[in-house]
PDB file of all heavy atoms in Angstrom:
ATOM      1  N   GLY T 138      76.618  71.799 -11.279  1.00 82.00           N
ATOM      2  CA  GLY T 138      76.893  72.677 -10.151  1.00 82.00           C
ATOM      3  C   GLY T 138      77.126  71.955  -8.844  1.00 82.00           C
ATOM      4  O   GLY T 138      77.389  72.591  -7.814  1.00 82.00           O
ATOM      5  N   SER T 190      88.348  62.706 -42.396  1.00 92.00           N
ATOM      6  CA  SER T 190      88.710  64.018 -41.862  1.00 92.00           C
ATOM      7  C   SER T 190      90.169  64.134 -41.483  1.00 92.00           C
ATOM      8  O   SER T 190      90.653  65.236 -41.225  1.00 92.00           O
ATOM      9  CB  SER T 190      87.857  64.311 -40.623  1.00 92.00           C
ATOM     10  OG  SER T 190      88.152  63.365 -39.599  1.00 92.00           O
ATOM     11  N   GLU T 200     110.841  66.064 -35.902  1.00 95.00           N
ATOM     12  CA  GLU T 200     110.912  66.318 -37.341  1.00 95.00           C
ATOM     13  C   GLU T 200     111.828  65.294 -37.997  1.00 95.00           C
ATOM     14  O   GLU T 200     112.910  64.978 -37.501  1.00 95.00           O
ATOM     15  CB  GLU T 200     111.433  67.723 -37.595  1.00 95.00           C
ATOM     16  CG  GLU T 200     111.405  68.123 -39.054  1.00 95.00           C
ATOM     17  CD  GLU T 200     111.834  69.560 -39.274  1.00 95.00           C
ATOM     18  OE1 GLU T 200     112.000  70.294 -38.264  1.00 95.00           O
ATOM     19  OE2 GLU T 200     111.993  69.947 -40.445  1.00 95.00           O
ATOM     20  N   SER T 210      96.478  43.377 -44.891  1.00 96.00           N
ATOM     21  CA  SER T 210      96.736  42.466 -46.013  1.00 96.00           C
ATOM     22  C   SER T 210      98.220  42.226 -46.250  1.00 96.00           C
ATOM     23  O   SER T 210      98.597  41.490 -47.162  1.00 96.00           O
ATOM     24  CB  SER T 210      96.097  43.018 -47.290  1.00 96.00           C
ATOM     25  OG  SER T 210      96.615  44.308 -47.588  1.00 96.00           O
ATOM     26  N   ARG T 237     115.507  56.453 -31.964  1.00 93.00           N
ATOM     27  CA  ARG T 237     114.376  55.796 -31.300  1.00 93.00           C
ATOM     28  C   ARG T 237     113.426  55.189 -32.337  1.00 93.00           C
ATOM     29  O   ARG T 237     113.190  55.776 -33.393  1.00 93.00           O
ATOM     30  CB  ARG T 237     113.614  56.788 -30.431  1.00 93.00           C
ATOM     31  CG  ARG T 237     114.325  57.201 -29.154  1.00 93.00           C
ATOM     32  CD  ARG T 237     113.442  58.105 -28.313  1.00 93.00           C
ATOM     33  NE  ARG T 237     113.131  59.348 -29.009  1.00 93.00           N
ATOM     34  CZ  ARG T 237     112.102  60.134 -28.713  1.00 93.00           C
ATOM     35  NH1 ARG T 237     111.250  59.786 -27.752  1.00 93.00           N
ATOM     36  NH2 ARG T 237     111.904  61.257 -29.387  1.00 93.00           N
ATOM     37  N   MET T 280      60.311  28.065 -24.544  1.00 98.00           N
ATOM     38  CA  MET T 280      60.710  29.468 -24.650  1.00 98.00           C
ATOM     39  C   MET T 280      60.924  29.781 -26.120  1.00 98.00           C
ATOM     40  O   MET T 280      61.118  28.881 -26.940  1.00 98.00           O
ATOM     41  CB  MET T 280      61.988  29.750 -23.850  1.00 98.00           C
ATOM     42  CG  MET T 280      63.207  28.977 -24.312  1.00 98.00           C
ATOM     43  SD  MET T 280      64.704  29.284 -23.306  1.00 98.00           S
ATOM     44  CE  MET T 280      65.206  30.887 -23.940  1.00 98.00           C
ATOM     45  N   GLY T 281      60.858  31.051 -26.486  1.00 98.00           N
ATOM     46  CA  GLY T 281      61.052  31.427 -27.875  1.00 98.00           C
ATOM     47  C   GLY T 281      62.430  31.043 -28.367  1.00 98.00           C
ATOM     48  O   GLY T 281      63.407  31.063 -27.609  1.00 98.00           O
ATOM     49  N   TRP T 292      56.819  37.040 -41.018  1.00 98.00           N
ATOM     50  CA  TRP T 292      55.468  37.600 -40.902  1.00 98.00           C
ATOM     51  C   TRP T 292      55.504  39.123 -40.765  1.00 98.00           C
ATOM     52  O   TRP T 292      54.780  39.845 -41.458  1.00 98.00           O
ATOM     53  CB  TRP T 292      54.770  36.975 -39.693  1.00 98.00           C
ATOM     54  CG  TRP T 292      53.498  37.659 -39.306  1.00 98.00           C
ATOM     55  CD1 TRP T 292      52.299  37.609 -39.959  1.00 98.00           C
ATOM     56  CD2 TRP T 292      53.306  38.523 -38.168  1.00 98.00           C
ATOM     57  NE1 TRP T 292      51.367  38.380 -39.294  1.00 98.00           N
ATOM     58  CE2 TRP T 292      51.952  38.950 -38.201  1.00 98.00           C
ATOM     59  CE3 TRP T 292      54.126  38.961 -37.142  1.00 98.00           C
ATOM     60  CZ2 TRP T 292      51.429  39.795 -37.232  1.00 98.00           C
ATOM     61  CZ3 TRP T 292      53.606  39.803 -36.176  1.00 98.00           C
ATOM     62  CH2 TRP T 292      52.271  40.224 -36.235  1.00 98.00           C
ATOM     63  N   SER T 464      81.759  23.380 -29.381  1.00 98.00           N
ATOM     64  CA  SER T 464      82.087  24.122 -30.601  1.00 98.00           C
ATOM     65  C   SER T 464      81.005  23.913 -31.647  1.00 98.00           C
ATOM     66  O   SER T 464      80.597  24.852 -32.352  1.00 98.00           O
ATOM     67  CB  SER T 464      83.441  23.667 -31.151  1.00 98.00           C
ATOM     68  OG  SER T 464      84.480  23.911 -30.230  1.00 98.00           O
ATOM     69  N   PRO T 539      91.293  49.962 -19.579  1.00 98.00           N
ATOM     70  CA  PRO T 539      91.568  50.749 -20.789  1.00 98.00           C
ATOM     71  C   PRO T 539      93.012  50.635 -21.251  1.00 98.00           C
ATOM     72  O   PRO T 539      93.281  50.668 -22.457  1.00 98.00           O
ATOM     73  CB  PRO T 539      91.208  52.181 -20.373  1.00 98.00           C
ATOM     74  CG  PRO T 539      91.156  52.169 -18.885  1.00 98.00           C
ATOM     75  CD  PRO T 539      90.792  50.793 -18.478  1.00 98.00           C
ATOM     76  N   GLY T 571      79.686  54.096 -21.974  1.00 96.00           N
ATOM     77  CA  GLY T 571      80.881  53.375 -21.556  1.00 96.00           C
ATOM     78  C   GLY T 571      82.033  53.510 -22.534  1.00 96.00           C
ATOM     79  O   GLY T 571      83.168  53.122 -22.216  1.00 96.00           O
ATOM     80  N   GLY T 668      60.203  59.242 -15.579  1.00 42.00           N
ATOM     81  CA  GLY T 668      60.152  60.644 -15.986  1.00 42.00           C
ATOM     82  C   GLY T 668      59.214  61.411 -15.075  1.00 42.00           C
ATOM     83  O   GLY T 668      58.323  60.871 -14.439  1.00 42.00           O
ATOM     84  N   PRO T 677      56.641  66.953 -30.808  1.00 97.00           N
ATOM     85  CA  PRO T 677      57.237  65.906 -31.645  1.00 97.00           C
ATOM     86  C   PRO T 677      58.247  66.431 -32.655  1.00 97.00           C
ATOM     87  O   PRO T 677      59.263  65.780 -32.907  1.00 97.00           O
ATOM     88  CB  PRO T 677      56.021  65.269 -32.335  1.00 97.00           C
ATOM     89  CG  PRO T 677      54.915  66.269 -32.208  1.00 97.00           C
ATOM     90  CD  PRO T 677      55.169  66.974 -30.922  1.00 97.00           C
ATOM     91  N   SER T 695      55.108  48.725 -19.487  1.00 97.00           N
ATOM     92  CA  SER T 695      54.502  48.741 -20.817  1.00 97.00           C
ATOM     93  C   SER T 695      53.592  49.951 -20.919  1.00 97.00           C
ATOM     94  O   SER T 695      53.234  50.578 -19.910  1.00 97.00           O
ATOM     95  CB  SER T 695      53.698  47.459 -21.045  1.00 97.00           C
ATOM     96  OG  SER T 695      52.547  47.456 -20.214  1.00 97.00           O
ATOM     97  N   GLN T 722      50.082  57.221  -6.847  1.00 97.00           N
ATOM     98  CA  GLN T 722      48.995  57.074  -7.816  1.00 97.00           C
ATOM     99  C   GLN T 722      48.564  58.423  -8.371  1.00 97.00           C
ATOM    100  O   GLN T 722      48.320  58.567  -9.579  1.00 97.00           O
ATOM    101  CB  GLN T 722      47.810  56.369  -7.157  1.00 97.00           C
ATOM    102  CG  GLN T 722      48.042  54.883  -6.909  1.00 97.00           C
ATOM    103  CD  GLN T 722      46.896  54.228  -6.179  1.00 97.00           C
ATOM    104  OE1 GLN T 722      46.290  54.840  -5.288  1.00 97.00           O
ATOM    105  NE2 GLN T 722      46.587  52.991  -6.536  1.00 97.00           N
ATOM    106  N   ARG T 759      51.194  57.067 -32.760  1.00 97.00           N
ATOM    107  CA  ARG T 759      50.981  58.148 -33.726  1.00 97.00           C
ATOM    108  C   ARG T 759      51.917  59.314 -33.416  1.00 97.00           C
ATOM    109  O   ARG T 759      52.451  59.959 -34.324  1.00 97.00           O
ATOM    110  CB  ARG T 759      49.530  58.630 -33.676  1.00 97.00           C
ATOM    111  CG  ARG T 759      48.495  57.655 -34.223  1.00 97.00           C
ATOM    112  CD  ARG T 759      47.092  58.163 -33.932  1.00 97.00           C
ATOM    113  NE  ARG T 759      46.083  57.159 -34.235  1.00 97.00           N
ATOM    114  CZ  ARG T 759      44.925  57.032 -33.582  1.00 97.00           C
ATOM    115  NH1 ARG T 759      44.625  57.875 -32.595  1.00 97.00           N
ATOM    116  NH2 ARG T 759      44.074  56.088 -33.914  1.00 97.00           N
ATOM    117  N   ARG T 796      61.402  36.137 -17.286  1.00 97.00           N
ATOM    118  CA  ARG T 796      60.804  34.792 -17.346  1.00 97.00           C
ATOM    119  C   ARG T 796      59.336  34.799 -17.740  1.00 97.00           C
ATOM    120  O   ARG T 796      58.648  33.781 -17.622  1.00 97.00           O
ATOM    121  CB  ARG T 796      60.966  34.084 -15.989  1.00 97.00           C
ATOM    122  CG  ARG T 796      62.389  33.694 -15.662  1.00 97.00           C
ATOM    123  CD  ARG T 796      62.498  33.117 -14.254  1.00 97.00           C
ATOM    124  NE  ARG T 796      62.337  34.159 -13.246  1.00 97.00           N
ATOM    125  CZ  ARG T 796      62.161  33.919 -11.951  1.00 97.00           C
ATOM    126  NH1 ARG T 796      62.075  32.675 -11.517  1.00 97.00           N
ATOM    127  NH2 ARG T 796      62.050  34.916 -11.086  1.00 97.00           N
ATOM    128  N   ASP T 801      48.290  38.929 -23.141  1.00 97.00           N
ATOM    129  CA  ASP T 801      47.309  39.948 -23.508  1.00 97.00           C
ATOM    130  C   ASP T 801      46.974  40.802 -22.290  1.00 97.00           C
ATOM    131  O   ASP T 801      47.605  40.678 -21.228  1.00 97.00           O
ATOM    132  CB  ASP T 801      46.063  39.309 -24.126  1.00 97.00           C
ATOM    133  CG  ASP T 801      45.334  38.381 -23.161  1.00 97.00           C
ATOM    134  OD1 ASP T 801      45.580  38.458 -21.932  1.00 97.00           O
ATOM    135  OD2 ASP T 801      44.516  37.570 -23.633  1.00 97.00           O
TER     136      ASP T 801
END
Side-chain angles (χ1 to χ4, degrees):
S190 64
E200 186 176 352
S210 59
R237 287 184 297 159
M280 62 182 283
W292 168 73
S464 299
S695 69
Q722 287 176 323
R759 290 172 190 148
R796 290 175 288 168
D801 62 17

